[in-house]
Amino acid sequence: MIEIDKVTKTFGAGDVAFTALRDVSVTIRENEFFTLLGPSGCGKTTLLRLIAGFEPPTIGAIRLSGRDITRLPPNQRPVNTVFQNYALFPHMSVAGNIAFGLEMLGKPKDEIAKTVDEMLRLVRMEELKHRKTSEISGGQQQRVALARALAPHPEVLLLDEPLSALDLKLRKEMQIELKRLQSETGITFVFVTHDQEEALTMSDRIAVMSGGRILQIGNPREIYERPSERFVANFIGESNFLNGQLSAGSVTLEAGGTFTVQPPQGVADGKVSVLIRPEHVTVAGTGAEGAALTATVENVVYSGEATVAHLKLKTGEAIKARASNLPGASGLLETGAQVGVSVAPGAVTVLVD
Amino acid sequence: MSEQAAYRPGELEAEAQAADNRSRWMLALPAVVIITLAAAGPLMVMVVYSFLTPGDYGNVVWKFSLEGWMNTLVQRDIFDDTLIWADAHLSIFWRSFSLSLITTVLTLIFGVPTAWFIATQPPGKREFWLFLITVPFWTNLLVRTIAIQELLRSEGVINLVLLKLGIIDAPIQMMFTNFAIGFGMTYVYLPLMVLPVYAAVDKLDFRLVEAAHDLYAGRWTAFRRVILPLIKPGIIAGSILVFIPSLGAYVTPRVLGGGKNLMFGNLIELQFGQGRNWPLGAALSLMLMAAVMIALMWYVRVTSREQSDG
């Protein structure tokens, strides 16, 4: 268990001071696949480096399994890192890289040899044991970096955008591989990424970060379906933002229609912003039953598995409707047509702005 | 069909290859001429001279003799004409070798941290520090060496300060000692160590150092296991650049070592000057060159073997 307790990190001083983390608190549970998600510069890598021990926090404390490790140097923390560019030692072989951490811990030779072979098997790299790290591909380097970090069996494995340098297909493979490794080793993974899809598919819980703060922590479903703020909603998936009036547990949109909602804490009745995901919006014919809103078709985009209709409501607000393409369905909407728009029950989320 | 039959495979390609080779040789010609005239030519003269007989007023007499080569290591006893070891030469060889080695080690000790310091400065400041390193090159070597003399001599800056502070009662004799030569050479050759090591540290990926710390390596182990192997090419280059000119150094030992503490370069100069023994001078020069080449080959071999072990 890692506890990040009110941590602030400021680089530089005076005029050039830059605060990378502002009063961040989060508890990462044992055996959890925890993801720090956010755009570049949001502080996620800084938080990872603080946990690894490469930087000390300016204010606040970091505890690992109840022990205060705030001032402990990286070589005394039972935490290992998979670096973004892997940072493999170029003057050592694949096996030499994997053995490094174990040698530093002073493990006996035969145990090191055994663990190295075990790790090579775990990442399926047995046949490349004696290669130089410059002689293997990016995906293979990735695996060696993983094996090297896992070999000393740390309490926590930190992964700093480890998949960003891989092509799409390899990345998908490694996503599954990482999940497998996490469940096989039972080690807590802290994963940093800016890729929301990667975060949603792999994580047990996600912390969405922006401007040095954690905006929301939750499991993928909570983050996607009940984002607390406009930034979170916008960063993860496609979003429609509409204005409405909240009163007594239901929202009346300016564009029409009233929906029952579960307003988050701290939001008072009155003018609010709401989120509706495009896949929860359906385009029907004009005046169709249940259609709460009417809109004009602006544009229709076909993208293989789905079709997205860009619509304009009578208030001038834009709304997107996304529908999976069924076999044989032609039904392309015509630009300029007046259509009815319906919203799935429970799809309206009130945001804290 | 007949046209096709006339074509022999590879013929045109071979011709193009030959033309290409010719034009490459033409391009290389100026360099080849300069190297032949400026390096290989004088070297041949030295080889020939080393096997001739010395003339009475310098120069050489065109008569074959092995005396030049023999005199590098042995000399005839004045009284009974027996061959004895040329102790003076041997002690000069030893002084040259040991002082060069000490100089190399000292430039390593001072140069590596300096290079490290510069390479880890913010990019804007590095140029300033590198500029400071190169400033001494703007002043003539002789002038700089005499400036060191001003520091070291009995009435020099160091002795005066120490006397004033009451640390010593009488001036320390530093001039005309091996210490003075080593001190001077370390100062003169330090930039030749700093620059290649700086280039190596500059290329070093500091994330690898972080990775080493992350994998439980302390400062010293991270230096020994990760940093040192990666900046080794710079250290090898720097050591070669310092050791070789040290071995043949002339100005610094002459000014700071005086007439007694000769080094290899001074001994060679002596044979072509007052000694009027050009064949011996030529033989000594060739010997120095051979020694440098052997030392170099040994050093590169040893260091590259270690590298492949890692």
Side-chain angles (χ1 to χ4, degrees):
Chain A
M1 189 174 72
I2 311 165
E3 289 162 90
I4 312 290
D5 191 2
K6 298 197 183 77
V7 161
T8 295
K9 176 67 187 176
T10 307
F11 291 102
D15 291 343
V16 292
F18 168 72
T19 304
L21 291 173
R22 294 163 196 275
D23 198 26
V24 168
S25 288
V26 56
T27 301
I28 300 167
R29 298 174 196 138
E30 205 108 327
N31 302 344
E32 190 172 34
F33 197 117
F34 191 88
T35 299
L36 300 170
L37 175 66
S40 56
C42 72
K44 56 190 193 298
T45 297
T46 304
L47 183 53
L48 200 76
R49 291 175 60 79
L50 252 54
I51 300 173
F54 299 136
E55 319 265 0
T58 313
I59 309 169
I62 300 169
R63 280 183 292 274
L64 180 64
S65 311
R67 187 162 70 112
D68 191 332
I69 58 163
T70 315
R71 303 282 150 189
L72 219 55
N75 53 319
Q76 288 172 27
R77 300 185 183 203
V79 172
N80 289 136
T81 310
V82 177
F83 293 87
Q84 188 169 6
N85 315 74
Y86 318 139
L88 297 176
F89 303 125
H91 56 296
M92 296 179 200
S93 66
V94 167
N97 268 277
I98 299 173
F100 190 84
L102 298 162
E103 284 170 17
M104 294 302 114
L105 289 173
K107 299 269 191 240
K109 274 224 165 75
D110 50 333
E111 192 191 320
I112 293 176
K114 219 181 94 212
T115 313
V116 168
D117 285 339
E118 205 175 288
M119 286 300 136
L120 285 166
R121 207 161 38 245
L122 193 67
V123 297
R124 303 188 177 118
M125 291 276 296
E126 294 104 315
E127 66 283 6
L128 298 174
K129 185 177 177 183
H130 299 293
R131 290 280 190 87
K132 285 238 160 190
T133 53
S134 53
E135 297 166 352
I136 58 177
S137 72
Q140 290 165 336
Q141 290 184 4
Q142 163 74 79
R143 282 157 195 269
V144 176
L146 260 171
R148 182 178 74 173
L150 285 170
H153 204 86
E155 281 181 48
V156 180
L157 187 74
L158 307 174
L159 303 107
D160 186 7
E161 307 218 17
L163 307 181
S164 59
L166 304 179
D167 62 52
L168 189 66
K169 194 159 171 288
L170 205 52
R171 181 188 286 193
K172 296 270 180 209
E173 268 176 44
M174 284 307 295
Q175 288 179 3
I176 298 165
E177 191 88 2
L178 277 176
K179 275 304 267 185
R180 176 180 71 87
L181 284 171
Q182 199 246 338
S183 61
E184 277 181 30
T185 55
I187 293 171
T188 307
F189 277 34
V190 181
F191 187 86
V192 159
T193 185
H194 62 263
D195 184 330
Q196 43 107 3
E197 196 200 329
E198 204 165 87
L200 290 174
T201 44
M202 298 172 73
S203 318
D204 294 326
R205 285 196 306 153
I206 299 170
V208 182
M209 296 184 70
S210 173
R213 287 178 211 281
I214 292 182
L215 303 181
Q216 189 175 5
I217 302 172
N219 65 37
R221 188 172 278 273
E222 287 165 358
I223 295 283
Y224 185 77
E225 292 181 3
R226 293 275 170 266
S228 60
E229 305 185 26
R230 183 186 283 255
F231 179 89
V232 177
N234 210 6
F235 192 71
I236 295 168
E238 295 274 297
S239 322
N240 294 307
F241 296 111
L242 298 174
N243 293 321
Q245 203 71 28
L246 174 69
S247 74
S250 65
V251 163
T252 306
L253 297 180
E254 285 175 7
T258 301
F259 303 89
T260 314
V261 292
Q262 293 169 310
Q265 284 187 334
V267 176
D269 283 4
K271 200 172 177 303
V272 289
S273 276
V274 301
L275 161 78
I276 306 169
R277 296 288 184 190
E279 65 271 25
H280 299 148
V281 180
T282 320
V283 178
T286 322
E289 291 293 312
L293 309 162
T294 53
T296 317
V297 179
E298 295 253 286
N299 199 0
V300 180
V301 179
Y302 174 83
S303 67
E305 90 275 14
T307 300
V308 177
H310 295 255
L311 312 165
K312 193 175 211 171
L313 295 167
K314 63 180 184 193
T315 50
E317 290 167 304
I319 185 168
K320 285 173 281 185
R322 181 187 168 92
S324 294
N325 289 323
L326 297 170
S330 59
L332 269 183
L333 293 163
E334 269 179 50
T335 307
Q338 289 287 322
V339 289
V341 177
S342 59
V343 177
V348 178
T349 306
V350 178
L351 300 169
V352 183
D353 263 316
Chain B
M1 283 303 273
S2 60
E3 262 175 66
Q4 267 176 7
Y7 170 74
R8 290 194 207 96
E11 192 176 282
L12 284 171
E13 286 83 347
E15 207 164 286
Q17 185 78 50
D20 190 41
N21 275 343
R22 274 196 300 278
S23 68
R24 277 165 196 269
W25 271 107
M26 289 304 286
L27 283 171
L29 197 63
V32 171
V33 168
I34 287 173
I35 289 171
T36 313
L37 290 180
L43 197 64
M44 285 316 294
V45 172
M46 293 297 265
V47 171
V48 172
Y49 272 31
S50 71
F51 290 107
L52 297 175
T53 310
D56 289 339
Y57 304 100
N59 216 332
V60 286
V61 176
W62 283 84
K63 190 173 146 225
F64 179 81
S65 161
L66 283 175
E67 285 280 309
W69 281 99
M70 272 175 62
N71 283 338
T72 57
L73 293 176
V74 293
Q75 62 186 53
R76 271 181 214 290
D77 195 285
I78 316 167
F79 302 108
D80 57 8
D81 242 18
T82 52
L83 286 176
I84 53 169
W85 287 108
D87 293 336
H89 289 187
L90 293 180
S91 74
I92 288 170
F93 296 162
W94 173 244
R95 180 182 297 118
S96 295
F97 178 78
S98 53
L99 274 177
S100 300
L101 205 62
I102 289 168
T103 302
T104 309
V105 171
L106 286 176
T107 52
L108 269 172
I109 290 171
F110 292 112
V112 173
T114 308
W116 184 273
F117 170 78
I118 297 172
T120 50
Q121 291 295 303
K125 284 187 183 164
R126 283 183 217 169
E127 277 97 56
F128 169 72
W129 289 104
L130 283 177
F131 168 77
L132 285 189
I133 292 287
T134 51
V135 161
F137 286 126
W138 299 5
T139 315
N140 183 288
L141 175 60
L142 190 59
V143 176
R144 280 187 284 152
T145 313
I146 288 169
I148 291 182
Q149 192 175 26
E150 206 52 39
L151 280 177
L152 297 182
R153 69 195 175 90
S154 296
E155 304 82 35
V157 178
I158 293 176
N159 271 319
L160 280 182
V161 170
L162 289 178
L163 282 171
K164 272 262 170 4
L165 291 174
I167 296 171
I168 52 172
D169 299 326
I172 305 168
Q173 174 64 39
M174 286 185 286
M175 278 304 293
F176 313 124
T177 61
N178 288 341
F179 165 78
I181 302 176
F183 183 91
M185 292 207 305
T186 302
Y187 160 73
V188 168
Y189 295 121
L190 193 56
L192 298 181
M193 179 64 81
V194 172
L195 294 176
V197 175
Y198 163 78
V201 177
D202 190 40
K203 269 194 295 179
L204 180 71
D205 184 353
F206 280 88
R207 285 170 303 195
L208 296 176
V209 185
E210 280 191 349
H213 288 311
D214 188 60
L215 292 161
Y216 313 110
R219 279 163 178 274
W220 168 243
T221 326
F223 177 76
R224 195 173 54 83
R225 291 287 306 270
V226 175
I227 296 168
L228 201 56
L230 293 174
I231 64 168
K232 203 146 95 179
I235 288 178
I236 293 174
S239 304
I240 290 171
L241 285 177
V242 170
F243 184 76
I244 291 177
S246 298
L247 214 50
Y250 170 70
V251 172
T252 312
R254 177 71 191 264
V255 174
L256 299 175
K260 279 191 295 179
N261 296 288
L262 293 185
M263 280 184 54
F264 220 127
N266 312 109
L267 183 63
I268 293 170
E269 190 265 347
L270 195 64
Q271 305 315 319
F272 285 98
Q274 296 158 304
R276 291 183 201 157
N277 194 343
W278 289 21
L280 176 57
L284 285 169
S285 304
L286 292 170
M287 216 167 120
L288 176 63
M289 211 174 81
V292 165
M293 278 170 71
I294 290 166
L296 206 64
M297 270 160 24
W298 171 80
Y299 185 64
V300 169
R301 199 162 179 193
V302 166
T303 46
S304 64
R305 190 192 302 141
E306 272 171 26
Q307 192 125 31
S308 59
D309 282 350

